[in-house]
Amino acid sequence: MLSSVTSLAIASALDGLAGRQRAVASNIANVNTPGYTARRVAFEDAIVRSVATGDGRATATESRSLEPTRLDGNNVNLDTETISSIDTVLRFQFAARAADGPFTALRTAMRTS
């Protein structure tokens, strides 16, 4: 159960989402830092490829945003970061519930036996 492709993919997604949330927090913290470029974390395509090969493990990659910059060289858009933060939190909650599903079923089965 713990090493199934699905479990590994969910664990990879949780790791990727946590990394994305750290990047968003850093972007928001540096919204007024001259020359700062926003960080972006991607992992979804890597998970899809990994699951297709029967593995499930994937590593998130971080890159700098290529979006246009302001006059001070900063390209953090607070609206974009806020939406990304909300989206990431919701996805994390969904993945955490998916990860907990088998354990909830096991706990229920143990209580009723």
Side-chain angles (χ1 to χ4, degrees), residues 1-2 6-11 14 92-105 107:
M1 175 168 57
L2 295 176
T6 303
S7 296
L8 292 171
I10 291 171
L14 288 168
F92 192 94
Q93 289 174 347
F94 179 76
R97 283 186 187 228
D100 188 47
F103 299 108
T104 300
R107 282 191 299 268

Side-chain angles (χ1 to χ4, degrees), residues 30-34 36 68-78:
N30 287 287
V31 69
N32 292 318
T33 302
Y36 181 86
T69 61
R70 298 187 306 255
L71 292 177
D72 66 356
N74 186 306
N75 71 348
V76 175
N77 180 316
L78 195 53

